[in-house]
Every structure is written in structure tokens, then in C-alpha cells.
Amino acid sequence: MLNKHAVVVGAGVGGLAASIRLAVEGFSVSVYEANSFVGGKINSQRFGNYRFDMGPSVFTGPEYIRQLYQLCGEDFASFEYQGLKHIFNYFYPDGSLLRLPSEKKLMIKTLSEFFGEDARVLEKYLKKAERNYQAITPVFIERSLHRFSQVFSPRLITAFRHLFGYKLSKTMHQENVETFDNPKTVQFFDRYATYNGSDPYKAPAMLNMIAHLELNIGPFLPKKGIVQIADSLYELALRQGVQFFLNHAIEEVLVLDGKVTGVRSAQGTFAADLVVSNMDVSNSYKYLLAKEKRPSKTLAQEPSSSAIVFYWGIKNNFEQLGLHNIFFADDYKKEFEAIFDSKTLHDDPTIYVNITSKLVAGDAPPSGENWFVMINAPSNVGQDWPAIVASARKILLNKLSKRLGQDIESLIEVEDVMDPPLIEKKYRGNHGAIYGNASNNRFAAFLRHPNYSKRIKGLYFVGVTVHPGGGIPLAINSAKIALDCIRQDYKLKRSKYGGRVL
């Protein structure tokens, strides 16, 4: 033990990962979570006979979870998960259906035949996504961009060599239009902008590398659903001696003479040598650090998209649907213009339907399916959300019923809904944005808030709203970056496993 106490505010996956790393370093760790559950957006609820993962549904990058198990000296084999035989089913407005296999050669063959694209062009595109991802990961995803001592390395030079490949002056859509002949192919690859809540017509082409994890490596599914990620990290943290305080909202991070001294809640004041905030970084400053100066330029960036999600228990089985299903919009550009410019919904939005009961036993009755039905939505700026949600429900039911040939509304046995105001309230997400800032300009990805405070000693940040960005792998890795900063600040010996810094 270092005889030092660390407080983590928020038990999302970033906070859970941070608590594990802090405990392994020798800190005594207390995690305070306002909700009655851990995992943040990764949580599960049961409505009647149907269980739903309430938030993220695509799982890539299991190696980041494996690192945490290895760091604790535990066998990652206990975290049971499987690779998917099919990545997604894509339903296009013209009635065509792309059922995409995950095996690499067969996937490229299927894409080539379905879209009429040259297989060599597709293979070259995916190889470039892999090269760019591998080049930038060591200096961007796994390191702080805000400390020269961490980011400068021979790998940085390698990353700069790939700058031309990143096409920073082009958008994702522009690169895809220049690469492919079929508009359907362009729409297929443009969709990856939504994985960090951005607009492919504005986001830099560098982000086309997002497709690498899903297409070159493949998506996975934990045996018990996505909630298994949060549950497993929580149990791992408990085994390291981390203490959790649920239903306990922190109201203020206490600062004296530019240094963290502890936290305050309605239940009292708690001393701490350092504090890690897993709360949305904008709301961290708004609620926890109201007396401190805000980094206004960093926090003024455009929010990411939000979402409207319907949770439907469907009393029927649909053979044409898989675990992941996309029903594309007729006009993708208008859909993103509506979300980011008009702050409303397109009248024919892209629909994502996730059905874990296809692979997770017990998530639905044998004669039913648990549908997680999501559309991308604007952040909350005071819109009439009850009216928007009601309209969206009608549009979704009509579109799905027509495409699947059945009256979906008559099959709904249980129902619940999530919208941007509820996301804002339940998860303290600024304006209901899911990923913090959008990456809708060429520099946005580099301008996220750092994983530490430049003004307050002992204050650190993790989660999807700070560097390196959105998604489960990056949220977990934000904890590694924060701990690298903590080791540096507290002059701690770096932890290693098998010669590799984890």
C-alpha cells in the first residue's frame, strides 16, 4: 500500500478500469456512483420476460479487458465471449439485404459481389485502415497527447509517416466517394462515423480507420450480453479491494491552493490524495468544479449525437434478423443534416436493431425476441422530445413493418424508451450527448480534454468524453492513460506484465 487514498467519481467502464489500475498500484480506492448500479451506460434491465442491454451493444477490442485481468494476475479465460459468424445484416431502401460474414476472405468476397466493387480495392481499403490504426494507436489511443514525455517516441515518427494516409484534409465521405463506385458501399463505410457520434460528411477521413476493429478483426459478444463487461470489471475491482458506494452522488471535488483534498456529498466530506472523475467532463466542471475555472475553449466544442432507443419485447421470431441489423435511410446526407444542423430527426432515419436473444439464452422467451431499436438523434437543446419520440415511434414501426412484412406494433409485449433528456439525467451526459464532443472537424479528435487537469494537482479524468474518445475500448484505455499520468506525477514505478506496459 502507498498509504494514499484515491476517489473515483462514477462507475462507468472508465471509472471501473481506473479503480482496478489504482488498486493494483497500491492505492486504497473508493468509488462513488450516483446510480444504484455500476457500468454507466453499460447496464441491464429486465421488463417482464425480456432482458435488455440498455446502452452499448457492439463489442470490439477485448484485449483491453484482457490487460486488466493480466494486470491483476487473473485468468482472462473466465471472461467468456464469442466471435460472431456474421457481423451485421444491412437492409437497404431498395429492398436488398447484405448479410455480412465475419471471416475476412469471405467478407471481402461478399462485399465485392453485393456492391459490384473490385475486391482488390476493398482489400486495399481495409489494409490501409489496419495500417493507420496500428500506426496511430501507440501514440494516440494508448498515450496522452498532452504530455510531451509520453507522446514523443520512435512510434510518433512512424505515425507521422502515415499522415498522408490519414487524408486529414478530406472527410470520411469524400474519401469513400473517391474510393468506391457504388453509393451503397459509400453509405456502408460512412456509417462508422456514428461509432463516436459524428457526421461522416464533416468528420476527417482519418476516422475511416474505425472500421478496422469490426471488419479486420471482427465483433464479439460476451456470453451474458454486453452487461457482462461492467459486471466482470466490478467483480475484478472488488477482488482488488476497491470499495463501492452506490446511490451516493458526489456534489463537489474539494480543492485547496490548487490541489485536490477530497470530495463532498450530501452524506459528508471524504479526504482523498487524488480524484478521478468518470463523469462527463463538461458536467464535471459544471457540477463538481463549479468554483474552478473552466477550460472554456475545450468544452465549447460541438456535442456528439445522442440517441432514441425503444426496448421492445417482441412475441415472435424473425429468421431474417440477426444479432446486429441496420435499416439504412434513403438519404444519408439529409439524416446527418437533420441531426447536427437542424437538431431534429430525418423523416426516414437509419434504424439499428440489436437482438441479443439470438445468442444469449434467457434474454427472451423461446417464442420471442428482445429488440433494442435505436436511431441517432441530436443532442438535447430543449426540443419537444415527447412529440419527437412519439413521431419517431410511428416512423420506426411503419418502416420495420413494411420491410419485415408483419405488423410490428401488434407484436410488442413489453416496451420502454430512452431519449436524450433521460440520457442527460440518468448518466449526467452533457446535453444528452453519448460521446462528449463530436469529431466533426479535422482537429476535434486531438482537442479532447486531457486525462488530467492542467490547473489542479491530483485531478484526473476518464471515460468517453475525454481523450482518447468514444466507445468501450477507448473508455477502458482512458484509464491506462490517466494512470500513466498518475505514475509520472507521483513518481511510481511502472507496472509491467510480460515486459509490456499495461
Coordinates of all heavy atoms in Angstrom, one line a residue, residues 305-392:
S305 N -23.7 13.2 -31.3 CA -25.1 12.8 -31.4 C -25.5 12.1 -30.1 O -24.7 11.7 -29.3 CB -25.3 11.9 -32.6 OG -24.5 10.7 -32.4
S306 N -26.8 12.1 -29.9 CA -27.4 11.3 -28.9 C -28.2 10.1 -29.5 O -27.9 9.7 -30.6 CB -28.3 12.2 -28.0 OG -28.8 11.5 -26.9
A307 N -29.2 9.7 -28.8 CA -30.0 8.5 -29.4 C -31.4 8.5 -28.8 O -31.6 9.0 -27.7 CB -29.3 7.2 -29.1
I308 N -32.3 7.9 -29.6 CA -33.6 7.5 -29.0 C -33.6 5.9 -29.2 O -33.3 5.4 -30.3 CB -34.8 8.1 -29.8 CG1 -34.8 9.6 -29.7 CG2 -36.1 7.5 -29.4 CD1 -35.8 10.3 -30.5
V309 N -33.9 5.3 -28.1 CA -33.9 3.8 -28.1 C -35.2 3.3 -27.6 O -35.7 3.7 -26.5 CB -32.8 3.2 -27.2 CG1 -32.7 1.7 -27.3 CG2 -31.4 3.8 -27.5
F310 N -35.8 2.4 -28.3 CA -37.0 1.7 -27.9 C -36.6 0.3 -27.5 O -35.9 -0.4 -28.3 CB -38.1 1.6 -29.0 CG -38.6 3.0 -29.3 CD1 -38.1 3.7 -30.4 CD2 -39.7 3.6 -28.6 CE1 -38.6 5.0 -30.7 CE2 -40.2 4.8 -28.9 CZ -39.7 5.5 -29.9
Y311 N -37.1 -0.2 -26.4 CA -36.8 -1.6 -25.9 C -38.1 -2.3 -26.0 O -39.1 -2.1 -25.3 CB -36.3 -1.6 -24.5 CG -35.1 -0.6 -24.2 CD1 -35.3 0.7 -23.8 CD2 -33.8 -1.1 -24.5 CE1 -34.3 1.5 -23.6 CE2 -32.8 -0.2 -24.3 CZ -33.0 1.1 -23.8 OH -31.9 1.9 -23.6
W312 N -38.2 -3.2 -27.0 CA -39.4 -3.9 -27.3 C -39.3 -5.4 -27.1 O -38.4 -6.0 -27.7 CB -39.9 -3.7 -28.8 CG -40.3 -2.3 -29.1 CD1 -40.8 -1.3 -28.2 CD2 -40.3 -1.6 -30.4 NE1 -41.1 -0.2 -28.8 CE2 -40.8 -0.3 -30.2 CE3 -39.9 -2.0 -31.6 CZ2 -41.0 0.6 -31.2 CZ3 -40.1 -1.1 -32.7 CH2 -40.6 0.2 -32.4
G313 N -40.1 -6.0 -26.3 CA -40.2 -7.4 -26.2 C -41.2 -7.9 -27.3 O -42.4 -7.6 -27.2
I314 N -40.7 -8.6 -28.3 CA -41.5 -9.0 -29.5 C -41.9 -10.4 -29.3 O -41.0 -11.3 -29.2 CB -40.7 -8.8 -30.8 CG1 -40.2 -7.3 -30.9 CG2 -41.5 -9.2 -32.0 CD1 -41.4 -6.3 -31.1
K315 N -43.2 -10.7 -29.4 CA -43.7 -12.1 -29.2 C -43.7 -12.8 -30.6 O -44.8 -13.2 -31.1 CB -45.0 -12.1 -28.6 CG -46.1 -11.2 -29.2 CD -47.4 -11.2 -28.3 CE -48.4 -10.2 -28.9 NZ -49.6 -10.2 -28.1
N316 N -42.5 -12.9 -31.2 CA -42.4 -13.6 -32.5 C -40.9 -13.8 -32.7 O -40.1 -13.1 -32.1 CB -43.0 -12.8 -33.6 CG -43.3 -13.7 -34.8 OD1 -43.1 -14.9 -34.8 ND2 -43.7 -13.1 -35.9
N317 N -40.6 -14.7 -33.7 CA -39.2 -14.9 -34.1 C -39.1 -14.5 -35.6 O -39.9 -14.8 -36.4 CB -38.7 -16.3 -33.9 CG -38.6 -16.7 -32.4 OD1 -37.8 -16.0 -31.7 ND2 -39.3 -17.7 -32.0
F318 N -38.0 -13.7 -35.9 CA -37.7 -13.3 -37.2 C -36.4 -13.9 -37.8 O -35.4 -13.5 -37.3 CB -37.7 -11.8 -37.3 CG -39.0 -11.1 -37.1 CD1 -39.5 -10.9 -35.9 CD2 -39.7 -10.6 -38.2 CE1 -40.8 -10.3 -35.7 CE2 -40.9 -10.0 -38.1 CZ -41.5 -9.8 -36.8
E319 N -36.6 -14.9 -38.6 CA -35.4 -15.6 -39.2 C -34.5 -14.7 -40.0 O -33.3 -14.9 -40.0 CB -35.8 -16.8 -40.0 CG -36.6 -17.9 -39.2 CD -35.8 -18.5 -38.1 OE1 -34.5 -18.6 -38.3 OE2 -36.3 -18.8 -37.1
Q320 N -35.0 -13.6 -40.6 CA -34.2 -12.8 -41.5 C -33.4 -11.8 -40.7 O -32.5 -11.1 -41.2 CB -35.1 -12.0 -42.4 CG -36.1 -11.0 -41.8 CD -37.5 -11.7 -41.6 OE1 -37.6 -12.7 -40.9 NE2 -38.5 -11.0 -42.2
L321 N -33.6 -11.7 -39.3 CA -32.8 -10.8 -38.5 C -31.7 -11.6 -37.7 O -31.9 -12.8 -37.4 CB -33.7 -10.1 -37.5 CG -34.8 -9.2 -38.1 CD1 -35.7 -8.6 -37.0 CD2 -34.2 -8.1 -38.9
G322 N -30.6 -10.9 -37.5 CA -29.5 -11.5 -36.7 C -29.3 -10.7 -35.4 O -30.2 -9.9 -35.0
L323 N -28.1 -10.8 -34.8 CA -27.8 -10.1 -33.6 C -27.8 -8.6 -33.9 O -28.4 -7.8 -33.2 CB -26.4 -10.5 -33.1 CG -25.9 -9.7 -31.9 CD1 -26.7 -9.9 -30.7 CD2 -24.4 -10.1 -31.6
H324 N -27.1 -8.2 -35.0 CA -27.0 -6.8 -35.4 C -27.6 -6.5 -36.7 O -27.3 -7.2 -37.7 CB -25.5 -6.4 -35.5 CG -24.7 -6.5 -34.2 ND1 -25.0 -5.8 -33.1 CD2 -23.6 -7.3 -33.9 CE1 -24.1 -6.1 -32.1 NE2 -23.3 -7.0 -32.6
N325 N -28.5 -5.5 -36.8 CA -29.2 -5.3 -38.0 C -29.3 -3.8 -38.3 O -29.6 -3.0 -37.3 CB -30.7 -5.9 -37.9 CG -30.7 -7.3 -37.5 OD1 -30.6 -8.2 -38.3 ND2 -30.8 -7.5 -36.2
I326 N -29.1 -3.4 -39.5 CA -29.2 -2.0 -39.9 C -30.2 -1.8 -41.0 O -30.1 -2.5 -42.0 CB -27.8 -1.4 -40.4 CG1 -26.8 -1.3 -39.2 CG2 -28.0 0.0 -41.0 CD1 -27.1 -0.2 -38.2
F327 N -31.1 -0.9 -40.8 CA -32.1 -0.5 -41.9 C -31.7 0.9 -42.3 O -32.0 1.9 -41.6 CB -33.5 -0.6 -41.4 CG -33.9 -2.0 -41.0 CD1 -33.6 -2.5 -39.8 CD2 -34.7 -2.7 -41.8 CE1 -33.9 -3.8 -39.4 CE2 -35.1 -4.0 -41.5 CZ -34.7 -4.6 -40.2
F328 N -31.0 1.1 -43.5 CA -30.5 2.3 -43.9 C -31.6 3.4 -44.2 O -32.6 3.0 -44.8 CB -29.5 2.2 -45.0 CG -28.1 1.9 -44.7 CD1 -27.5 0.7 -45.1 CD2 -27.4 2.7 -43.8 CE1 -26.2 0.4 -44.8 CE2 -26.1 2.4 -43.5 CZ -25.5 1.3 -44.0
A329 N -31.2 4.6 -44.0 CA -32.0 5.8 -44.5 C -31.9 5.9 -46.0 O -31.0 5.4 -46.6 CB -31.6 7.1 -43.9
D330 N -33.0 6.5 -46.6 CA -32.9 6.7 -48.1 C -32.0 7.8 -48.5 O -31.3 7.7 -49.5 CB -34.3 7.0 -48.6 CG -34.9 8.3 -47.9 OD1 -34.4 8.7 -46.9 OD2 -35.9 8.9 -48.5
D331 N -31.8 8.8 -47.6 CA -30.9 9.9 -47.9 C -30.0 10.1 -46.7 O -30.4 10.8 -45.7 CB -31.7 11.2 -48.3 CG -30.8 12.3 -48.8 OD1 -29.6 12.4 -48.4 OD2 -31.3 13.0 -49.7
Y332 N -28.8 9.6 -46.7 CA -27.9 9.6 -45.5 C -27.5 11.1 -45.2 O -27.4 11.5 -44.0 CB -26.7 8.8 -45.8 CG -26.2 7.9 -44.6 CD1 -27.1 7.5 -43.6 CD2 -24.9 7.5 -44.5 CE1 -26.7 6.7 -42.6 CE2 -24.5 6.7 -43.4 CZ -25.4 6.4 -42.5 OH -25.0 5.6 -41.4
K333 N -27.2 11.9 -46.2 CA -26.8 13.2 -46.0 C -27.9 14.0 -45.3 O -27.6 14.8 -44.3 CB -26.4 13.9 -47.3 CG -25.8 15.3 -47.2 CD -25.3 15.9 -48.5 CE -24.7 17.3 -48.3 NZ -23.7 17.3 -47.3
K334 N -29.1 13.9 -45.7 CA -30.2 14.6 -45.1 C -30.4 14.2 -43.6 O -30.7 15.0 -42.7 CB -31.5 14.4 -45.8 CG -31.5 15.3 -47.1 CD -32.9 15.1 -47.8 CE -32.9 16.0 -49.1 NZ -34.3 15.9 -49.8
E335 N -30.1 12.9 -43.4 CA -30.2 12.4 -42.0 C -29.3 13.1 -41.1 O -29.6 13.5 -40.0 CB -30.0 10.9 -41.9 CG -30.1 10.3 -40.5 CD -30.0 8.8 -40.5 OE1 -29.7 8.2 -41.5 OE2 -30.3 8.3 -39.4
F336 N -28.0 13.2 -41.5 CA -27.0 13.9 -40.7 C -27.2 15.4 -40.6 O -26.9 16.0 -39.6 CB -25.6 13.5 -41.1 CG -25.2 12.1 -40.8 CD1 -25.3 11.1 -41.7 CD2 -24.8 11.8 -39.5 CE1 -24.9 9.8 -41.4 CE2 -24.4 10.5 -39.2 CZ -24.5 9.5 -40.1
E337 N -27.7 16.0 -41.7 CA -28.0 17.4 -41.6 C -29.1 17.7 -40.6 O -29.1 18.7 -39.9 CB -28.5 17.9 -43.0 CG -27.3 18.0 -44.0 CD -27.9 18.4 -45.4 OE1 -29.1 18.3 -45.6 OE2 -27.0 18.7 -46.3
A338 N -30.1 16.8 -40.5 CA -31.2 16.9 -39.6 C -30.6 16.9 -38.1 O -31.0 17.7 -37.3 CB -32.2 15.9 -39.8
I339 N -29.8 15.9 -37.9 CA -29.2 15.6 -36.5 C -28.3 16.8 -36.1 O -28.5 17.3 -35.0 CB -28.5 14.3 -36.5 CG1 -29.4 13.1 -36.7 CG2 -27.7 14.2 -35.2 CD1 -28.7 11.8 -36.9
F340 N -27.4 17.2 -36.9 CA -26.4 18.1 -36.5 C -26.7 19.6 -36.8 O -26.2 20.5 -36.1 CB -25.0 17.7 -37.1 CG -24.4 16.5 -36.4 CD1 -24.5 15.3 -37.0 CD2 -23.8 16.6 -35.2 CE1 -23.9 14.2 -36.4 CE2 -23.3 15.5 -34.5 CZ -23.3 14.3 -35.1
D341 N -27.4 19.8 -37.9 CA -27.7 21.2 -38.3 C -29.1 21.7 -37.8 O -29.2 22.8 -37.2 CB -27.6 21.4 -39.8 CG -26.2 21.0 -40.3 OD1 -25.2 21.1 -39.6 OD2 -26.1 20.6 -41.5
S342 N -30.1 20.9 -38.0 CA -31.5 21.3 -37.7 C -31.8 20.8 -36.2 O -32.9 21.3 -35.7 CB -32.5 20.7 -38.6 OG -32.2 21.1 -40.0
K343 N -31.0 19.9 -35.7 CA -31.2 19.4 -34.3 C -32.6 18.7 -34.2 O -33.3 18.9 -33.2 CB -31.1 20.5 -33.3 CG -29.8 21.3 -33.2 CD -28.7 20.3 -32.9 CE -27.3 21.1 -32.8 NZ -26.2 20.2 -32.5
T344 N -32.9 17.9 -35.2 CA -34.1 17.2 -35.2 C -33.9 15.8 -35.9 O -32.7 15.4 -36.0 CB -35.2 18.0 -36.0 OG1 -36.5 17.3 -35.8 CG2 -34.9 18.2 -37.4
L345 N -34.9 15.1 -36.3 CA -34.8 13.8 -36.9 C -35.2 13.9 -38.4 O -36.1 14.6 -38.8 CB -35.7 12.8 -36.2 CG -35.4 12.5 -34.8 CD1 -36.4 11.5 -34.3 CD2 -34.0 12.0 -34.6
H346 N -34.5 13.1 -39.2 CA -34.9 12.9 -40.6 C -36.2 12.1 -40.6 O -36.4 11.3 -39.7 CB -33.7 12.2 -41.3 CG -34.0 11.9 -42.8 ND1 -34.5 12.8 -43.6 CD2 -33.7 10.8 -43.5 CE1 -34.6 12.3 -44.8 NE2 -34.0 11.1 -44.8
D347 N -37.0 12.3 -41.7 CA -38.3 11.6 -41.7 C -38.1 10.1 -42.1 O -39.1 9.3 -42.1 CB -39.3 12.3 -42.6 CG -38.8 12.5 -44.0 OD1 -37.7 11.9 -44.4 OD2 -39.4 13.2 -44.8
D348 N -36.9 9.7 -42.5 CA -36.6 8.3 -42.8 C -35.2 8.0 -42.2 O -34.2 7.8 -42.9 CB -36.6 8.0 -44.3 CG -36.3 6.5 -44.6 OD1 -36.5 5.7 -43.7 OD2 -35.7 6.3 -45.7
P349 N -35.2 7.8 -40.8 CA -33.9 7.6 -40.2 C -33.3 6.2 -40.4 O -34.1 5.3 -40.6 CB -34.2 7.9 -38.7 CG -35.6 7.5 -38.6 CD -36.3 7.9 -39.9
T350 N -32.0 6.1 -40.3 CA -31.4 4.7 -40.2 C -31.8 4.1 -38.9 O -31.7 4.7 -37.8 CB -29.9 4.9 -40.4 OG1 -29.6 5.4 -41.7 CG2 -29.2 3.5 -40.2
I351 N -32.2 2.8 -38.9 CA -32.6 2.1 -37.7 C -31.6 1.0 -37.4 O -31.3 0.2 -38.3 CB -34.0 1.5 -37.9 CG1 -35.0 2.6 -38.3 CG2 -34.5 0.9 -36.6 CD1 -36.4 2.1 -38.7
Y352 N -31.2 0.9 -36.2 CA -30.4 -0.2 -35.7 C -31.2 -1.1 -34.8 O -31.8 -0.6 -33.8 CB -29.1 0.3 -35.0 CG -28.3 -0.7 -34.2 CD1 -27.8 -1.8 -34.9 CD2 -28.1 -0.6 -32.9 CE1 -27.1 -2.8 -34.1 CE2 -27.4 -1.5 -32.1 CZ -26.9 -2.6 -32.8 OH -26.2 -3.5 -32.1
V353 N -31.2 -2.4 -35.1 CA -32.0 -3.3 -34.2 C -31.0 -4.4 -33.7 O -30.4 -5.1 -34.5 CB -33.1 -4.0 -35.0 CG1 -33.9 -5.0 -34.1 CG2 -34.1 -3.0 -35.6
N354 N -30.8 -4.4 -32.4 CA -29.9 -5.4 -31.8 C -30.8 -6.4 -31.0 O -31.7 -6.0 -30.3 CB -29.0 -4.6 -30.8 CG -28.2 -5.6 -30.0 OD1 -28.3 -5.7 -28.8 ND2 -27.3 -6.3 -30.6
I355 N -30.5 -7.7 -31.2 CA -31.4 -8.7 -30.7 C -30.4 -9.7 -30.0 O -30.0 -10.7 -30.6 CB -32.2 -9.4 -31.7 CG1 -33.0 -8.4 -32.6 CG2 -33.2 -10.4 -31.1 CD1 -33.8 -9.0 -33.7
T356 N -30.1 -9.5 -28.7 CA -29.2 -10.4 -28.0 C -29.8 -11.8 -27.8 O -29.0 -12.8 -27.6 CB -28.7 -9.9 -26.7 OG1 -29.9 -9.7 -25.8 CG2 -28.0 -8.5 -26.9
S357 N -31.1 -11.9 -27.8 CA -31.7 -13.3 -27.6 C -31.4 -14.2 -28.7 O -31.6 -15.4 -28.6 CB -33.2 -13.1 -27.4 OG -33.8 -12.6 -28.6
K358 N -30.8 -13.7 -29.8 CA -30.4 -14.6 -30.9 C -29.2 -15.5 -30.4 O -29.1 -16.6 -30.9 CB -29.9 -13.8 -32.1 CG -31.0 -13.0 -32.8 CD -31.9 -13.9 -33.6 CE -32.9 -13.0 -34.4 NZ -33.8 -13.9 -35.2
L359 N -28.5 -15.0 -29.4 CA -27.3 -15.7 -29.0 C -27.2 -15.9 -27.4 O -26.5 -16.8 -27.0 CB -26.0 -15.0 -29.4 CG -25.8 -15.0 -30.9 CD1 -24.5 -14.1 -31.3 CD2 -25.6 -16.4 -31.5
V360 N -27.9 -15.1 -26.7 CA -27.9 -15.2 -25.2 C -29.1 -15.9 -24.7 O -30.2 -15.3 -24.8 CB -27.7 -13.8 -24.6 CG1 -27.6 -13.9 -23.1 CG2 -26.5 -13.1 -25.2
A361 N -28.9 -17.0 -24.1 CA -30.1 -17.8 -23.6 C -30.7 -17.1 -22.5 O -30.1 -16.5 -21.6 CB -29.6 -19.2 -23.1
G362 N -32.0 -17.1 -22.5 CA -32.8 -16.4 -21.4 C -33.1 -15.0 -21.6 O -33.8 -14.4 -20.8
D363 N -32.6 -14.4 -22.7 CA -32.9 -12.9 -22.9 C -34.3 -12.7 -23.4 O -34.8 -11.5 -23.3 CB -31.9 -12.3 -23.8 CG -30.6 -11.9 -23.1 OD1 -30.5 -12.2 -21.9 OD2 -29.7 -11.3 -23.8
A364 N -35.0 -13.7 -23.8 CA -36.4 -13.6 -24.3 C -37.0 -15.0 -24.2 O -36.3 -16.0 -24.2 CB -36.4 -13.1 -25.7
P365 N -38.3 -15.1 -24.1 CA -39.0 -16.4 -24.2 C -38.6 -17.1 -25.5 O -38.3 -16.4 -26.5 CB -40.5 -16.1 -24.1 CG -40.5 -14.7 -23.6 CD -39.3 -14.0 -24.0
P366 N -38.7 -18.4 -25.6 CA -38.4 -19.1 -26.8 C -39.2 -18.6 -28.0 O -38.7 -18.7 -29.2 CB -38.8 -20.6 -26.5 CG -38.7 -20.7 -25.0 CD -39.1 -19.3 -24.5
S367 N -40.4 -18.1 -27.8 CA -41.2 -17.7 -28.9 C -41.1 -16.2 -29.1 O -41.9 -15.6 -29.9 CB -42.7 -18.0 -28.6 OG -43.1 -17.4 -27.4
G368 N -40.1 -15.5 -28.5 CA -40.0 -14.1 -28.6 C -38.6 -13.6 -28.8 O -37.6 -14.4 -28.8
E369 N -38.4 -12.3 -29.0 CA -37.1 -11.7 -29.2 C -37.1 -10.3 -28.5 O -38.1 -9.6 -28.4 CB -36.8 -11.4 -30.7 CG -36.7 -12.7 -31.5 CD -36.5 -12.5 -33.0 OE1 -36.7 -11.4 -33.4 OE2 -36.1 -13.5 -33.6
N370 N -35.9 -10.0 -27.9 CA -35.7 -8.7 -27.3 C -35.1 -7.7 -28.2 O -33.9 -7.7 -28.6 CB -34.9 -8.8 -26.0 CG -33.5 -9.3 -26.3 OD1 -33.2 -10.0 -27.3 ND2 -32.5 -9.0 -25.4
W371 N -35.9 -6.8 -28.7 CA -35.4 -5.8 -29.7 C -35.0 -4.5 -29.0 O -35.7 -3.8 -28.3 CB -36.5 -5.5 -30.7 CG -36.8 -6.5 -31.7 CD1 -36.5 -7.9 -31.6 CD2 -37.5 -6.3 -32.9 NE1 -36.9 -8.5 -32.7 CE2 -37.6 -7.6 -33.6 CE3 -38.1 -5.2 -33.6 CZ2 -38.2 -7.8 -34.8 CZ3 -38.7 -5.4 -34.8 CH2 -38.8 -6.7 -35.4
F372 N -33.7 -4.2 -29.3 CA -33.1 -2.9 -28.9 C -33.1 -2.1 -30.2 O -32.4 -2.4 -31.1 CB -31.7 -3.1 -28.4 CG -30.9 -1.9 -28.1 CD1 -30.6 -1.4 -26.9 CD2 -30.3 -1.2 -29.2 CE1 -29.7 -0.3 -26.7 CE2 -29.4 -0.1 -29.0 CZ -29.2 0.3 -27.7
V373 N -34.1 -1.1 -30.3 CA -34.3 -0.4 -31.6 C -33.8 1.0 -31.4 O -34.4 1.8 -30.7 CB -35.8 -0.5 -32.0 CG1 -36.0 0.2 -33.3 CG2 -36.3 -1.9 -32.0
M374 N -32.8 1.4 -32.1 CA -32.1 2.7 -31.9 C -32.0 3.5 -33.2 O -31.8 3.0 -34.2 CB -30.7 2.5 -31.3 CG -30.0 3.8 -30.9 SD -28.3 3.6 -30.6 CE -27.6 4.0 -32.2
I375 N -32.2 4.8 -33.0 CA -31.9 5.8 -34.1 C -31.0 6.9 -33.5 O -31.1 7.2 -32.3 CB -33.2 6.4 -34.7 CG1 -34.0 7.1 -33.7 CG2 -34.0 5.4 -35.5 CD1 -35.2 7.9 -34.3
N376 N -30.1 7.4 -34.3 CA -29.3 8.5 -33.9 C -30.1 9.7 -33.8 O -31.0 10.0 -34.6 CB -28.1 8.7 -34.9 CG -27.2 7.6 -34.9 OD1 -26.7 7.2 -33.8 ND2 -26.9 7.0 -36.1
A377 N -29.9 10.6 -32.8 CA -30.7 11.7 -32.5 C -29.8 12.9 -32.2 O -28.6 12.7 -31.8 CB -31.7 11.5 -31.4
P378 N -30.3 14.1 -32.3 CA -29.5 15.3 -31.9 C -29.3 15.4 -30.4 O -30.1 14.8 -29.6 CB -30.3 16.5 -32.4 CG -31.7 16.0 -32.5 CD -31.6 14.5 -32.8
S379 N -28.3 16.2 -29.9 CA -28.2 16.4 -28.5 C -29.4 17.3 -28.1 O -30.1 17.9 -28.9 CB -26.9 17.1 -28.2 OG -26.8 18.3 -29.0
N380 N -29.6 17.3 -26.8 CA -30.8 18.0 -26.2 C -30.5 19.5 -26.1 O -29.7 19.9 -25.3 CB -31.1 17.4 -24.8 CG -32.2 18.1 -24.2 OD1 -33.1 18.7 -24.8 ND2 -32.3 18.1 -22.8
V381 N -31.2 20.3 -26.9 CA -31.2 21.7 -26.8 C -32.5 22.3 -26.5 O -32.8 23.5 -26.8 CB -30.5 22.3 -28.0 CG1 -29.1 22.0 -28.2 CG2 -31.3 21.9 -29.3
G382 N -33.4 21.5 -25.9 CA -34.7 22.0 -25.5 C -35.8 21.7 -26.5 O -36.9 22.3 -26.4
Q383 N -35.6 20.7 -27.3 CA -36.6 20.3 -28.3 C -37.9 19.7 -27.6 O -37.8 19.3 -26.4 CB -36.1 19.2 -29.3 CG -34.9 19.7 -30.1 CD -33.6 19.3 -29.5 OE1 -33.4 19.4 -28.3 NE2 -32.7 18.8 -30.3
D384 N -39.0 19.6 -28.3 CA -40.2 18.9 -27.7 C -40.0 17.4 -27.9 O -40.5 16.8 -28.8 CB -41.4 19.4 -28.5 CG -42.7 18.9 -28.0 OD1 -42.7 18.0 -27.0 OD2 -43.8 19.3 -28.5
W385 N -39.3 16.8 -26.9 CA -39.0 15.4 -27.0 C -40.1 14.5 -27.0 O -40.2 13.5 -27.7 CB -37.9 15.1 -26.0 CG -36.6 15.6 -26.4 CD1 -35.9 16.7 -25.8 CD2 -35.8 15.2 -27.4 NE1 -34.7 16.9 -26.4 CE2 -34.6 16.0 -27.5 CE3 -35.9 14.2 -28.4 CZ2 -33.6 15.9 -28.4 CZ3 -34.9 14.0 -29.4 CH2 -33.7 14.9 -29.3
P386 N -41.2 14.7 -26.1 CA -42.3 13.8 -26.2 C -42.9 13.7 -27.6 O -43.3 12.6 -28.1 CB -43.3 14.4 -25.2 CG -42.4 15.1 -24.2 CD -41.3 15.7 -25.0
A387 N -43.0 14.9 -28.3 CA -43.5 14.8 -29.7 C -42.6 14.2 -30.6 O -43.0 13.4 -31.5 CB -43.8 16.3 -30.1
I388 N -41.3 14.4 -30.5 CA -40.3 13.8 -31.3 C -40.3 12.3 -31.2 O -40.2 11.5 -32.1 CB -38.9 14.4 -31.1 CG1 -38.8 15.9 -31.5 CG2 -37.8 13.6 -31.8 CD1 -37.5 16.6 -31.2
V389 N -40.3 11.8 -29.9 CA -40.3 10.4 -29.6 C -41.5 9.7 -30.2 O -41.5 8.6 -30.8 CB -40.1 10.1 -28.1 CG1 -40.3 8.7 -27.8 CG2 -38.7 10.6 -27.6
A390 N -42.7 10.4 -30.0 CA -43.9 9.8 -30.5 C -43.9 9.7 -32.0 O -44.4 8.7 -32.6 CB -45.1 10.6 -30.0
S391 N -43.4 10.7 -32.7 CA -43.3 10.7 -34.1 C -42.3 9.6 -34.6 O -42.6 8.9 -35.5 CB -42.9 12.0 -34.7 OG -42.6 12.0 -36.0
A392 N -41.2 9.5 -33.9 CA -40.2 8.5 -34.2 C -40.7 7.1 -34.1 O -40.5 6.2 -34.9 CB -38.9 8.7 -33.3

